[in-house]
Amino acid sequence: MKKKQIIFLCGLPRAGNTLLGSIINENKKIKATPNSIILEILYQLNELKDFPVFQNFPDSKSLNNVNKMVFDNYYKEWKADVILDRGPWGTPYNLKVLKQVIPKPKFVILLRPLIECLASFAKLQNDNGFNTKEDIREYIDELMGEEGMMGKSILSIKNLCKEKEDYKIFYYDDLVEDTDNFLKNLSSFIGFKINNYNRLKQFNVNNTYYQDTMKNLHRIRVKKIQRQTYDINDYLPEDIIEKYSGYKII
């Protein structure tokens, strides 16, 4: 069986990851994942080293062999030659564990101005009925925390740049404003041609879809790719806008 090429998508949340994945998944030989569960699988496998039964007989080589087969086994039934696996793979811990399995990984970084990402999350909260300023402040604090979705993604991207890994940065604006050129540049970086969509669908792989409890979290517009414009002042408190406007990730 031909070994699949795994490339890692480390985009900011709300920066077009789901849209990009939906486009990619219209291609036959390349697939993009949802938020990857393999991060958790590798973490749990490595946690076994703290178990008394392992410490009593610390056969690290055999356990590491299991780790090395995780990607092959998980994606065994996926009909693709290339997998774009999405997650905060660049955090110090995740990167260390990953490079024990794939010594020279390649990373796609998808960026959008942080304040726009936060406003998008705030709009989601508003759409789901949580719209007081205090609700939004608490939510943004949670997102930006060390274990928060946004905080962890920022750490991942910063660490990939710091460690000078094999990465290329792409931008949300280019994805929605010049999709063909965006895909051409992405194809060049990963070494595999990605075609633009003929008929865009909601994100799915192997006929499996997101089961979101938050309305519109991973829902995309399927008729036309375009930037959704809205005033961030309608969704974010002034102190949050002041704190994160102009925030430099790289």
Side-chain angles (χ1 to χ4, degrees):
M1 181 180 293
K2 183 178 179 181
K3 191 174 181 67
K4 292 175 171 56
Q5 180 185 6
I6 312 295
I7 297 168
F8 299 92
L9 174 60
C10 300
L12 284 183
R14 310 305 296 173
N17 300 279
T18 304
L19 171 60
L20 176 59
S22 297
I23 295 170
I24 287 173
N25 289 345
E26 291 303 301
N27 290 256
K28 289 186 176 181
K29 294 297 183 179
I30 180 170
K31 298 298 175 185
T33 77
N35 291 295
S36 180
I37 198 173
I38 296 182
L39 282 160
E40 185 64 26
I41 294 173
L42 290 175
Y43 174 78
Q44 294 293 344
L45 285 172
N46 278 278
E47 285 291 289
L48 293 176
K49 294 178 180 179
D50 293 332
F51 278 41
V53 66
F54 177 86
Q55 293 177 349
N56 186 50
F57 194 84
D59 185 4
S60 295
K61 184 175 181 179
S62 294
L63 184 57
N64 289 340
N65 285 337
V66 175
N67 291 347
K68 291 176 181 179
M69 294 302 296
V70 165
F71 285 101
D72 289 341
N73 285 330
Y74 189 87
Y75 293 121
K76 182 179 179 180
E77 302 298 328
W78 287 43
K79 296 178 180 179
D81 296 330
V82 180
I83 304 289
L84 202 63
D85 188 287
R86 177 186 171 191
W89 285 102
T91 66
Y93 177 85
N94 289 341
L95 186 59
K96 178 182 177 181
V97 171
L98 174 61
K99 294 182 79 169
Q100 292 171 356
V101 180
I102 301 178
K104 295 181 178 180
K106 179 174 282 196
F107 302 92
V108 172
I109 297 175
L110 185 58
L111 290 183
R112 183 182 186 182
L114 177 61
I115 196 67
E116 292 184 16
C117 296
L118 295 178
S120 181
F121 269 117
K123 184 178 184 302
L124 279 174
Q125 288 292 91
N126 186 283
D127 293 344
N128 283 270
F130 301 95
N131 52 15
T132 70
K133 288 186 177 181
E134 193 55 38
D135 285 336
I136 298 302
R137 285 192 185 93
E138 290 181 6
Y139 186 56
I140 297 301
D141 285 344
E142 180 182 334
L143 285 172
M144 292 296 296
E146 187 175 319
E147 292 299 317
M149 187 187 304
M150 191 67 73
K152 193 175 289 186
S153 293
I154 291 172
L155 173 60
S156 168
I157 293 167
K158 285 180 175 290
N159 193 53
L160 289 175
C161 297
K162 174 187 173 185
E163 297 298 325
K164 298 181 180 179
E165 296 295 333
D166 185 5
Y167 69 86
K168 185 174 178 62
I169 295 170
F170 296 86
Y171 293 95
Y172 169 80
D173 284 350
D174 296 328
L175 174 62
V176 296
E177 294 171 5
D178 191 0
T179 310
D180 285 337
N181 195 50
F182 180 100
L183 295 177
K184 179 181 178 181
N185 291 332
L186 178 58
S187 298
S188 177
F189 177 65
I190 68 176
F192 190 93
K193 181 175 175 54
I194 304 170
N195 296 312
N196 207 338
Y197 70 98
N198 291 318
R199 180 174 174 268
L200 196 58
K201 302 173 184 176
Q202 295 299 332
F203 185 97
N204 78 93
V205 185
N206 303 325
N207 292 317
T208 302
Y209 294 79
Y210 277 110
Q211 303 296 307
D212 292 324
T213 56
M214 179 181 285
K215 177 184 175 183
N216 294 330
L217 180 59
H218 291 103
R219 190 166 185 81
I220 64 169
R221 295 176 212 79
V222 296
K223 291 184 178 180
K224 183 180 180 181
I225 295 176
Q226 62 184 29
R227 166 186 283 277
Q228 183 180 15
T229 57
Y230 46 82
D231 190 343
I232 63 173
N233 294 282
D234 292 339
Y235 300 102
L236 292 174
E238 289 182 9
D239 55 318
I240 296 295
I241 295 174
E242 182 178 352
K243 184 175 181 179
Y244 293 112
S245 290
Y247 185 100
K248 298 295 184 184
I249 295 174
I250 54 172

